[in-house]
Amino acid sequence: MMIVTDEQVKQRWWEKVNEEYDNSAIALAHYMVGETGGEADYEEAQDNIDSEDYLVYTDEEADEAVREEIEEMVWAFNASFLQAHTGVDADAIEKIQEMCESANEPLKAMIKDFDHFVNDAVNCYGRGQFLAPYDHEENEITFNGITYYIYRRN
């Protein structure tokens, strides 16, 4: 006769979940339970990550992603913010910005310290402003001792 405990069943179920889904999907599933109630849907969470409807990052990954995003949208920053980081008059920057996306590289080249520019942008607006176009929010959940930052894109 075999005796199976609740703990053994839970452990086997948990091992199966960990085999099928990565930690970011598990974290997102539990975050979504907190937002909507109900049961954790790991498959839906994985689909949301795969489709990039949600981004789920560690702190380091979020810093890297926000930098990449900011590099692509320098042209869209407020002219006075750019003036503070380039030393170029805001009126001149506004003229350059009329080129829209084509202005990105010239404006980026004018920035004196791009690391400082990124840090200043994140400190002023938060990472959610750049990574979460849906609501501009940065949400967090800690799972297995790792804090994940969640950004809704769609």
Side-chain angles (χ1 to χ4, degrees):
M1 175 161 112
M2 183 174 176
I3 298 174
V4 178
T5 66
D6 285 347
E7 194 57 40
Q8 289 170 317
V9 171
K10 288 177 190 175
Q11 182 62 34
R12 287 187 187 133
W13 174 81
W14 185 243
E15 288 170 1
K16 185 176 186 309
V17 167
N18 275 308
E19 286 174 15
E20 289 186 38
Y21 306 103
D22 61 27
N23 283 345
S24 60
I26 296 168
L28 178 59
H30 287 278
Y31 166 77
M32 292 173 80
V33 166
E35 291 292 301
T36 61
E39 296 290 319
D41 187 336
Y42 304 111
E43 186 172 341
E44 179 184 358
Q46 188 66 59
D47 288 346
N48 280 324
I49 291 170
D50 293 343
S51 67
E52 294 187 358
D53 286 344
Y54 283 85
L55 301 175
V56 181
Y57 293 132
T58 62
D59 192 42
E60 188 175 286
E61 292 167 338
D63 284 343
E64 194 175 302
V66 77
R67 180 186 177 87
E68 290 171 9
E69 197 70 26
I70 288 171
E71 283 179 356
E72 297 298 318
M73 62 173 48
V74 170
W75 69 275
F77 273 81
N78 181 292
S80 62
F81 189 87
L82 287 166
Q83 178 180 357
H85 290 275
T86 62
V88 176
D89 182 70
D91 291 333
I93 288 173
E94 287 174 355
K95 287 290 184 196
I96 296 168
Q97 287 176 317
E98 290 175 6
M99 297 169 37
C100 296
E101 289 93 343
S102 299
N104 203 62
E105 289 305 316
L107 288 170
K108 205 163 80 171
M110 293 178 196
I111 295 171
K112 297 173 183 172
D113 180 346
F114 200 78
D115 289 335
H116 178 65
F117 178 79
V118 170
N119 290 336
D120 197 17
V122 170
N123 287 335
C124 286
Y125 304 110
R127 292 186 298 205
Q129 177 68 29
F130 305 102
L131 297 177
Y134 180 82
D135 59 7
H136 305 288
E137 294 290 323
E138 176 179 75
N139 300 287
E140 64 182 78
I141 187 168
T142 300
F143 171 67
N144 278 349
I146 299 171
T147 300
Y148 292 92
Y149 296 89
I150 298 170
Y151 307 93
R152 185 167 181 189
R153 310 228 352 130
N154 189 354

